Amino acid sequence: MEFLSPSSLGEALAARAEHPDAVPIMGGTDVMVELNFDRRRPPVLLDLTRVPELSTWERSNGEIRLGAGVSYTRVIQELGTELPGLAMASRTVGSPQIRNRGTVGGNLGAASPAGDAHPALLAAFADVELSSAEGVRRVPAHEFYAGVKKHIGRPDELVTAVWVRRASGPQQFSKIGTRNAMVIAVAAFGFALHPEHRTVGTGIGSAGPTPRRAPEAEAFLAAELPWESRGAVPASVSAEFGRLVGTAASPIDDVRGTAAYRLYALSVMAQRCLGWAWTAHREEAS
């Protein structure tokens, strides 16, 4: 196995173009597991840990450009107020050691349906930045995932950043697992209120071949929420929202849970996240 370790983004993109079969590695929290269990033996590993451009974040016109190498720990410590949903999701990742090494960019590159960052990014209407030696493009997160552990990035491209608008309203994240920590999600749900546009965002994880939004549920809830009065959300609206979130999923039975349980859990998590977020939204006005 050949090991490449570029020290700049330009070098990394040139190496990617020359070795399109290379597997990028940042924190190694996914790749090293596959190597250790001999599930993957790539001809080339492209180590990105020494690329400084990937390990920074910046504010730009109301958005956060989060470099692909920024760790979950830094998201929690440095961006908990501006990207609360992503910070909540980051707190559920593995252990402190894994959060110190793992990155949102790595989560996107792996494109696992169970990745913890995906539901929060989807609910926040994030964009994924893909770069190659030919240029840079941005792709809406809901268009990024192409299948189980697959995304639409070309063989000569790297995930270099994710763009997320700073939260304008409360955000929530909920995750069901077989224990409280160090666990892959049985199902996960991200939720965001966007009061400035009177819209809501959703993100479903570990309940389909790809992470996904629930657009019908979003449209229904946005039309039914009492934005003007900030009154209580009727129980019937909350229940229908939960039901519509469930219909957007396509889970399977596996060793972690049944499809039926995942659908039930998603409905419950959706209603709980709505309740928590809307309560926070009402309290902001008081």
Short mmCIF file of all heavy atoms in Angstrom, two decimals, residues 85-149:
data_model
loop_
_atom_site.label_atom_id
_atom_site.label_comp_id
_atom_site.label_asym_id
_atom_site.label_seq_id
_atom_site.Cartn_x
_atom_site.Cartn_y
_atom_site.Cartn_z
N GLY A 85 -27.19 22.53 16.05
CA GLY A 85 -27.59 21.17 15.68
C GLY A 85 -26.39 20.28 15.41
O GLY A 85 -26.33 19.13 15.87
N LEU A 86 -25.42 20.80 14.68
CA LEU A 86 -24.22 20.03 14.38
C LEU A 86 -23.42 19.78 15.65
O LEU A 86 -22.83 18.70 15.82
CB LEU A 86 -23.38 20.76 13.34
CG LEU A 86 -22.13 20.03 12.84
CD1 LEU A 86 -22.50 18.69 12.22
CD2 LEU A 86 -21.38 20.90 11.84
N ALA A 87 -23.38 20.76 16.55
CA ALA A 87 -22.68 20.56 17.82
C ALA A 87 -23.35 19.47 18.65
O ALA A 87 -22.67 18.64 19.27
CB ALA A 87 -22.63 21.87 18.60
N MET A 88 -24.68 19.46 18.68
CA MET A 88 -25.40 18.41 19.41
C MET A 88 -25.06 17.03 18.84
O MET A 88 -24.80 16.08 19.58
CB MET A 88 -26.91 18.64 19.31
CG MET A 88 -27.43 19.80 20.11
SD MET A 88 -29.22 19.98 19.85
CE MET A 88 -29.52 21.52 20.69
N ALA A 89 -25.09 16.94 17.51
CA ALA A 89 -24.76 15.66 16.87
C ALA A 89 -23.32 15.26 17.18
O ALA A 89 -23.02 14.09 17.44
CB ALA A 89 -24.98 15.76 15.37
N SER A 90 -22.42 16.24 17.18
CA SER A 90 -21.00 15.95 17.43
C SER A 90 -20.79 15.39 18.83
O SER A 90 -19.91 14.55 19.05
CB SER A 90 -20.18 17.23 17.25
OG SER A 90 -20.24 17.71 15.92
N ARG A 91 -21.59 15.84 19.78
CA ARG A 91 -21.44 15.35 21.16
C ARG A 91 -21.79 13.86 21.29
O ARG A 91 -21.38 13.21 22.25
CB ARG A 91 -22.33 16.16 22.11
CG ARG A 91 -21.89 17.59 22.31
CD ARG A 91 -22.67 18.30 23.39
NE ARG A 91 -22.33 19.72 23.46
CZ ARG A 91 -23.05 20.68 22.89
NH1 ARG A 91 -24.17 20.39 22.24
NH2 ARG A 91 -22.65 21.94 22.97
N THR A 92 -22.55 13.33 20.33
CA THR A 92 -22.95 11.92 20.42
C THR A 92 -21.96 11.00 19.72
O THR A 92 -22.14 9.78 19.75
CB THR A 92 -24.34 11.71 19.77
OG1 THR A 92 -24.24 11.79 18.34
CG2 THR A 92 -25.34 12.72 20.26
N VAL A 93 -20.94 11.56 19.09
CA VAL A 93 -19.99 10.74 18.34
C VAL A 93 -19.02 10.04 19.30
O VAL A 93 -18.30 10.70 20.06
CB VAL A 93 -19.19 11.59 17.34
CG1 VAL A 93 -18.10 10.76 16.66
CG2 VAL A 93 -20.11 12.19 16.29
N GLY A 94 -19.01 8.72 19.29
CA GLY A 94 -18.00 7.91 19.95
C GLY A 94 -17.63 8.35 21.35
O GLY A 94 -18.48 8.58 22.22
N SER A 95 -16.32 8.49 21.55
CA SER A 95 -15.73 8.86 22.84
C SER A 95 -14.96 10.17 22.67
O SER A 95 -14.81 10.66 21.55
CB SER A 95 -14.76 7.76 23.27
OG SER A 95 -13.70 7.68 22.31
N PRO A 96 -14.46 10.76 23.77
CA PRO A 96 -13.64 11.97 23.60
C PRO A 96 -12.48 11.78 22.64
O PRO A 96 -12.16 12.67 21.85
CB PRO A 96 -13.16 12.25 25.03
CG PRO A 96 -14.23 11.69 25.90
CD PRO A 96 -14.70 10.45 25.20
N GLN A 97 -11.85 10.60 22.68
CA GLN A 97 -10.72 10.35 21.78
C GLN A 97 -11.17 10.37 20.32
O GLN A 97 -10.48 10.93 19.46
CB GLN A 97 -10.07 9.00 22.11
CG GLN A 97 -9.43 8.94 23.49
CD GLN A 97 -10.38 8.44 24.55
OE1 GLN A 97 -11.61 8.56 24.41
NE2 GLN A 97 -9.83 7.86 25.61
N ILE A 98 -12.32 9.76 20.04
CA ILE A 98 -12.82 9.73 18.67
C ILE A 98 -13.26 11.12 18.23
O ILE A 98 -13.04 11.53 17.09
CB ILE A 98 -13.97 8.71 18.55
CG1 ILE A 98 -13.43 7.29 18.74
CG2 ILE A 98 -14.68 8.84 17.20
CD1 ILE A 98 -14.49 6.23 18.78
N ARG A 99 -13.89 11.87 19.13
CA ARG A 99 -14.30 13.23 18.78
C ARG A 99 -13.08 14.13 18.53
O ARG A 99 -13.16 15.08 17.74
CB ARG A 99 -15.19 13.81 19.89
CG ARG A 99 -16.55 13.14 19.99
CD ARG A 99 -17.49 13.89 20.88
NE ARG A 99 -17.14 13.84 22.28
CZ ARG A 99 -17.51 12.88 23.12
NH1 ARG A 99 -18.23 11.86 22.67
NH2 ARG A 99 -17.16 12.92 24.40
N ASN A 100 -11.98 13.84 19.19
CA ASN A 100 -10.76 14.61 18.95
C ASN A 100 -10.15 14.32 17.58
O ASN A 100 -9.48 15.18 17.00
CB ASN A 100 -9.71 14.30 20.03
CG ASN A 100 -10.06 14.92 21.37
OD1 ASN A 100 -10.86 15.85 21.45
ND2 ASN A 100 -9.46 14.40 22.43
N ARG A 101 -10.35 13.12 17.08
CA ARG A 101 -9.77 12.72 15.81
C ARG A 101 -10.75 12.83 14.64
O ARG A 101 -10.38 13.24 13.54
CB ARG A 101 -9.29 11.25 15.88
CG ARG A 101 -8.12 11.02 16.80
CD ARG A 101 -6.84 11.62 16.25
NE ARG A 101 -6.51 11.09 14.93
CZ ARG A 101 -5.53 11.55 14.15
NH1 ARG A 101 -4.81 12.57 14.58
NH2 ARG A 101 -5.29 11.02 12.98
N GLY A 102 -12.00 12.46 14.87
CA GLY A 102 -12.99 12.42 13.80
C GLY A 102 -13.37 13.81 13.32
O GLY A 102 -13.33 14.79 14.06
N THR A 103 -13.77 13.89 12.06
CA THR A 103 -14.12 15.17 11.44
C THR A 103 -15.44 15.07 10.69
O THR A 103 -15.83 13.99 10.23
CB THR A 103 -13.03 15.59 10.45
OG1 THR A 103 -12.99 14.67 9.34
CG2 THR A 103 -11.65 15.63 11.11
N VAL A 104 -16.09 16.20 10.54
CA VAL A 104 -17.32 16.25 9.75
C VAL A 104 -17.02 15.91 8.30
O VAL A 104 -17.78 15.21 7.64
CB VAL A 104 -17.98 17.64 9.89
CG1 VAL A 104 -19.20 17.74 8.97
CG2 VAL A 104 -18.39 17.90 11.33
N GLY A 105 -15.89 16.41 7.79
CA GLY A 105 -15.52 16.09 6.42
C GLY A 105 -15.32 14.60 6.20
O GLY A 105 -15.70 14.05 5.16
N GLY A 106 -14.73 13.93 7.19
CA GLY A 106 -14.57 12.49 7.09
C GLY A 106 -15.90 11.77 7.10
O GLY A 106 -16.09 10.78 6.38
N ASN A 107 -16.83 12.26 7.90
CA ASN A 107 -18.18 11.70 7.93
C ASN A 107 -18.84 11.80 6.56
O ASN A 107 -19.47 10.86 6.07
CB ASN A 107 -19.01 12.45 8.97
CG ASN A 107 -19.95 11.57 9.76
OD1 ASN A 107 -20.94 12.03 10.30
ND2 ASN A 107 -19.66 10.29 9.88
N LEU A 108 -18.66 12.96 5.92
CA LEU A 108 -19.23 13.15 4.59
C LEU A 108 -18.54 12.25 3.57
O LEU A 108 -19.20 11.65 2.72
CB LEU A 108 -19.09 14.62 4.17
CG LEU A 108 -20.04 15.59 4.86
CD1 LEU A 108 -19.57 17.02 4.68
CD2 LEU A 108 -21.46 15.42 4.33
N GLY A 109 -17.22 12.15 3.64
CA GLY A 109 -16.50 11.32 2.69
C GLY A 109 -16.89 9.85 2.80
O GLY A 109 -17.00 9.15 1.78
N ALA A 110 -17.11 9.38 4.03
CA ALA A 110 -17.54 7.99 4.22
C ALA A 110 -18.97 7.77 3.75
O ALA A 110 -19.32 6.68 3.29
CB ALA A 110 -17.40 7.60 5.70
N ALA A 111 -19.81 8.80 3.88
CA ALA A 111 -21.20 8.77 3.41
C ALA A 111 -22.00 7.59 3.96
O ALA A 111 -22.91 7.08 3.30
CB ALA A 111 -21.24 8.75 1.87
N SER A 112 -21.69 7.18 5.18
CA SER A 112 -22.47 6.11 5.80
C SER A 112 -23.86 6.60 6.15
O SER A 112 -24.01 7.72 6.65
CB SER A 112 -21.76 5.63 7.07
OG SER A 112 -22.62 4.80 7.84
N PRO A 113 -24.89 5.80 5.93
CA PRO A 113 -26.24 6.21 6.32
C PRO A 113 -26.37 6.51 7.81
O PRO A 113 -27.25 7.26 8.22
CB PRO A 113 -27.11 5.01 5.93
CG PRO A 113 -26.30 4.24 4.93
CD PRO A 113 -24.87 4.48 5.28
N ALA A 114 -25.46 5.92 8.61
CA ALA A 114 -25.53 6.08 10.06
C ALA A 114 -24.62 7.19 10.57
O ALA A 114 -24.52 7.38 11.78
CB ALA A 114 -25.15 4.77 10.74
N GLY A 115 -23.97 7.95 9.69
CA GLY A 115 -23.09 9.03 10.13
C GLY A 115 -23.85 10.06 10.94
O GLY A 115 -24.92 10.53 10.53
N ASP A 116 -23.31 10.44 12.09
CA ASP A 116 -24.05 11.31 13.00
C ASP A 116 -24.18 12.74 12.50
O ASP A 116 -25.14 13.44 12.86
CB ASP A 116 -23.36 11.32 14.37
CG ASP A 116 -23.47 9.97 15.07
OD1 ASP A 116 -24.56 9.37 15.04
OD2 ASP A 116 -22.46 9.51 15.63
N ALA A 117 -23.25 13.22 11.69
CA ALA A 117 -23.31 14.61 11.24
C ALA A 117 -24.38 14.85 10.19
O ALA A 117 -24.89 15.96 10.05
CB ALA A 117 -21.94 15.04 10.69
N HIS A 118 -24.73 13.81 9.44
CA HIS A 118 -25.60 14.01 8.27
C HIS A 118 -26.97 14.60 8.59
O HIS A 118 -27.41 15.55 7.92
CB HIS A 118 -25.78 12.69 7.50
CG HIS A 118 -24.50 12.02 7.13
ND1 HIS A 118 -23.45 12.69 6.54
CD2 HIS A 118 -24.08 10.75 7.26
CE1 HIS A 118 -22.45 11.84 6.31
NE2 HIS A 118 -22.81 10.67 6.76
N PRO A 119 -27.72 14.07 9.58
CA PRO A 119 -29.05 14.65 9.84
C PRO A 119 -29.01 16.13 10.19
O PRO A 119 -29.85 16.92 9.74
CB PRO A 119 -29.57 13.80 11.01
CG PRO A 119 -28.85 12.50 10.88
CD PRO A 119 -27.48 12.87 10.41
N ALA A 120 -28.00 16.54 10.97
CA ALA A 120 -27.90 17.95 11.35
C ALA A 120 -27.57 18.82 10.14
O ALA A 120 -28.11 19.93 9.99
CB ALA A 120 -26.82 18.12 12.43
N LEU A 121 -26.70 18.35 9.27
CA LEU A 121 -26.35 19.12 8.07
C LEU A 121 -27.55 19.23 7.13
O LEU A 121 -27.79 20.29 6.54
CB LEU A 121 -25.17 18.46 7.36
CG LEU A 121 -23.84 18.45 8.11
CD1 LEU A 121 -22.80 17.67 7.32
CD2 LEU A 121 -23.36 19.87 8.36
N LEU A 122 -28.29 18.16 6.98
CA LEU A 122 -29.48 18.20 6.12
C LEU A 122 -30.51 19.18 6.66
O LEU A 122 -31.09 19.97 5.91
CB LEU A 122 -30.08 16.80 6.01
CG LEU A 122 -29.29 15.80 5.17
CD1 LEU A 122 -29.80 14.37 5.41
CD2 LEU A 122 -29.39 16.13 3.69
N ALA A 123 -30.75 19.13 7.97
CA ALA A 123 -31.75 20.01 8.57
C ALA A 123 -31.35 21.48 8.47
O ALA A 123 -32.20 22.36 8.38
CB ALA A 123 -31.97 19.63 10.04
N ALA A 124 -30.04 21.74 8.44
CA ALA A 124 -29.54 23.11 8.35
C ALA A 124 -29.39 23.58 6.91
O ALA A 124 -28.91 24.70 6.69
CB ALA A 124 -28.21 23.22 9.07
N PHE A 125 -29.80 22.76 5.95
CA PHE A 125 -29.70 23.09 4.52
C PHE A 125 -28.26 23.40 4.12
O PHE A 125 -27.97 24.37 3.42
CB PHE A 125 -30.60 24.28 4.16
CG PHE A 125 -32.05 24.10 4.50
CD1 PHE A 125 -32.85 25.20 4.76
CD2 PHE A 125 -32.63 22.84 4.58
CE1 PHE A 125 -34.21 25.06 5.07
CE2 PHE A 125 -33.98 22.67 4.90
CZ PHE A 125 -34.76 23.79 5.15
N ALA A 126 -27.33 22.55 4.55
CA ALA A 126 -25.91 22.76 4.29
C ALA A 126 -25.56 22.42 2.85
O ALA A 126 -26.29 21.71 2.15
CB ALA A 126 -25.09 21.90 5.24
N ASP A 127 -24.42 22.94 2.41
CA ASP A 127 -23.81 22.60 1.12
C ASP A 127 -22.47 21.92 1.38
O ASP A 127 -21.74 22.30 2.30
CB ASP A 127 -23.56 23.84 0.27
CG ASP A 127 -24.83 24.45 -0.31
OD1 ASP A 127 -25.88 23.78 -0.26
OD2 ASP A 127 -24.76 25.58 -0.81
N VAL A 128 -22.14 20.97 0.53
CA VAL A 128 -20.85 20.29 0.59
C VAL A 128 -19.94 20.89 -0.47
O VAL A 128 -20.35 21.04 -1.63
CB VAL A 128 -20.99 18.78 0.38
CG1 VAL A 128 -19.62 18.09 0.48
CG2 VAL A 128 -21.96 18.18 1.39
N GLU A 129 -18.73 21.23 -0.08
CA GLU A 129 -17.74 21.78 -1.03
C GLU A 129 -16.85 20.65 -1.53
O GLU A 129 -16.21 19.95 -0.75
CB GLU A 129 -16.90 22.86 -0.35
CG GLU A 129 -15.83 23.47 -1.25
CD GLU A 129 -14.95 24.45 -0.51
OE1 GLU A 129 -15.44 25.56 -0.19
OE2 GLU A 129 -13.78 24.11 -0.25
N LEU A 130 -16.82 20.48 -2.86
CA LEU A 130 -15.98 19.48 -3.51
C LEU A 130 -14.93 20.20 -4.34
O LEU A 130 -15.26 21.09 -5.12
CB LEU A 130 -16.82 18.56 -4.40
CG LEU A 130 -17.82 17.67 -3.67
CD1 LEU A 130 -18.83 17.08 -4.66
CD2 LEU A 130 -17.11 16.56 -2.92
N SER A 131 -13.68 19.80 -4.18
CA SER A 131 -12.58 20.48 -4.88
C SER A 131 -11.75 19.48 -5.66
O SER A 131 -11.54 18.33 -5.25
CB SER A 131 -11.68 21.21 -3.88
OG SER A 131 -12.40 22.17 -3.15
N SER A 132 -11.25 19.94 -6.80
CA SER A 132 -10.31 19.19 -7.61
C SER A 132 -9.29 20.16 -8.17
O SER A 132 -9.39 21.38 -7.97
CB SER A 132 -11.04 18.47 -8.75
OG SER A 132 -11.47 19.41 -9.73
N ALA A 133 -8.33 19.64 -8.91
CA ALA A 133 -7.34 20.51 -9.54
C ALA A 133 -8.00 21.41 -10.58
O ALA A 133 -7.44 22.44 -10.96
CB ALA A 133 -6.25 19.66 -10.19
N GLU A 134 -9.21 21.05 -11.02
CA GLU A 134 -9.93 21.83 -12.03
C GLU A 134 -10.77 22.95 -11.44
O GLU A 134 -11.19 23.86 -12.15
CB GLU A 134 -10.82 20.90 -12.87
CG GLU A 134 -10.09 19.75 -13.54
CD GLU A 134 -9.02 20.25 -14.48
OE1 GLU A 134 -9.29 21.21 -15.22
OE2 GLU A 134 -7.90 19.68 -14.48
N GLY A 135 -11.07 22.89 -10.14
CA GLY A 135 -11.89 23.94 -9.55
C GLY A 135 -12.69 23.45 -8.35
O GLY A 135 -12.49 22.33 -7.86
N VAL A 136 -13.60 24.31 -7.90
CA VAL A 136 -14.40 24.05 -6.69
C VAL A 136 -15.88 24.15 -7.03
O VAL A 136 -16.28 25.00 -7.82
CB VAL A 136 -14.06 25.07 -5.58
CG1 VAL A 136 -14.87 24.80 -4.32
CG2 VAL A 136 -12.56 25.05 -5.28
N ARG A 137 -16.69 23.27 -6.45
CA ARG A 137 -18.14 23.36 -6.61
C ARG A 137 -18.82 23.08 -5.28
O ARG A 137 -18.26 22.42 -4.40
CB ARG A 137 -18.65 22.40 -7.69
CG ARG A 137 -18.40 20.92 -7.39
CD ARG A 137 -18.88 20.05 -8.53
NE ARG A 137 -18.58 18.63 -8.32
CZ ARG A 137 -19.48 17.65 -8.43
NH1 ARG A 137 -20.74 17.93 -8.74
NH2 ARG A 137 -19.12 16.39 -8.24
N ARG A 138 -20.03 23.62 -5.15
CA ARG A 138 -20.84 23.39 -3.97
C ARG A 138 -22.08 22.60 -4.35
O ARG A 138 -22.75 22.90 -5.34
CB ARG A 138 -21.25 24.73 -3.32
CG ARG A 138 -20.14 25.39 -2.55
CD ARG A 138 -20.52 26.78 -2.05
NE ARG A 138 -21.69 26.78 -1.18
CZ ARG A 138 -22.03 27.81 -0.41
NH1 ARG A 138 -21.28 28.91 -0.40
NH2 ARG A 138 -23.10 27.77 0.34
N VAL A 139 -22.39 21.60 -3.53
CA VAL A 139 -23.53 20.71 -3.78
C VAL A 139 -24.42 20.71 -2.55
O VAL A 139 -23.92 20.52 -1.43
CB VAL A 139 -23.06 19.27 -4.07
CG1 VAL A 139 -24.24 18.35 -4.30
CG2 VAL A 139 -22.11 19.24 -5.26
N PRO A 140 -25.74 20.95 -2.69
CA PRO A 140 -26.62 20.83 -1.53
C PRO A 140 -26.49 19.45 -0.89
O PRO A 140 -26.39 18.44 -1.59
CB PRO A 140 -28.02 21.04 -2.12
CG PRO A 140 -27.77 21.83 -3.37
CD PRO A 140 -26.47 21.35 -3.91
N ALA A 141 -26.47 19.42 0.43
CA ALA A 141 -26.25 18.15 1.12
C ALA A 141 -27.26 17.09 0.72
O ALA A 141 -26.91 15.91 0.59
CB ALA A 141 -26.29 18.38 2.64
N HIS A 142 -28.51 17.49 0.47
CA HIS A 142 -29.51 16.48 0.14
C HIS A 142 -29.29 15.88 -1.25
O HIS A 142 -29.91 14.86 -1.59
CB HIS A 142 -30.93 17.05 0.26
CG HIS A 142 -31.29 18.06 -0.77
ND1 HIS A 142 -31.00 19.40 -0.63
CD2 HIS A 142 -31.91 17.94 -1.98
CE1 HIS A 142 -31.42 20.06 -1.69
NE2 HIS A 142 -31.97 19.21 -2.52
N GLU A 143 -28.42 16.49 -2.06
CA GLU A 143 -28.07 15.92 -3.37
C GLU A 143 -26.73 15.19 -3.35
O GLU A 143 -26.33 14.62 -4.37
CB GLU A 143 -28.02 17.04 -4.41
CG GLU A 143 -29.34 17.77 -4.62
CD GLU A 143 -29.20 18.91 -5.62
OE1 GLU A 143 -28.11 19.07 -6.21
OE2 GLU A 143 -30.19 19.66 -5.79
N PHE A 144 -26.06 15.22 -2.22
CA PHE A 144 -24.69 14.71 -2.14
C PHE A 144 -24.62 13.18 -2.06
O PHE A 144 -23.73 12.55 -2.63
CB PHE A 144 -24.00 15.33 -0.92
CG PHE A 144 -22.62 14.82 -0.63
CD1 PHE A 144 -21.55 15.18 -1.43
CD2 PHE A 144 -22.38 13.98 0.45
CE1 PHE A 144 -20.27 14.72 -1.17
CE2 PHE A 144 -21.11 13.51 0.73
CZ PHE A 144 -20.05 13.89 -0.08
N TYR A 145 -25.58 12.57 -1.36
CA TYR A 145 -25.52 11.14 -1.09
C TYR A 145 -26.08 10.35 -2.27
O TYR A 145 -27.16 10.66 -2.77
CB TYR A 145 -26.29 10.81 0.18
CG TYR A 145 -25.90 11.69 1.34
CD1 TYR A 145 -26.70 12.77 1.72
CD2 TYR A 145 -24.72 11.48 2.03
CE1 TYR A 145 -26.34 13.60 2.77
CE2 TYR A 145 -24.35 12.32 3.08
CZ TYR A 145 -25.16 13.36 3.45
OH TYR A 145 -24.79 14.19 4.48
N ALA A 146 -25.34 9.32 -2.69
CA ALA A 146 -25.72 8.58 -3.90
C ALA A 146 -26.07 7.12 -3.64
O ALA A 146 -26.57 6.44 -4.54
CB ALA A 146 -24.59 8.64 -4.93
N GLY A 147 -25.86 6.62 -2.47
CA GLY A 147 -26.12 5.22 -2.15
C GLY A 147 -25.42 4.87 -0.85
O GLY A 147 -24.83 5.73 -0.19
N VAL A 148 -25.48 3.60 -0.48
CA VAL A 148 -24.84 3.17 0.77
C VAL A 148 -23.33 3.42 0.68
O VAL A 148 -22.64 2.84 -0.16
CB VAL A 148 -25.12 1.68 1.05
CG1 VAL A 148 -24.42 1.24 2.33
CG2 VAL A 148 -26.62 1.43 1.16
N LYS A 149 -22.86 4.33 1.51
CA LYS A 149 -21.44 4.70 1.55
C LYS A 149 -20.93 5.20 0.20
O LYS A 149 -19.78 4.97 -0.17
CB LYS A 149 -20.59 3.54 2.08
CG LYS A 149 -20.91 3.17 3.52
CD LYS A 149 -19.94 2.15 4.09
CE LYS A 149 -20.24 1.89 5.56
NZ LYS A 149 -19.29 0.93 6.16
#
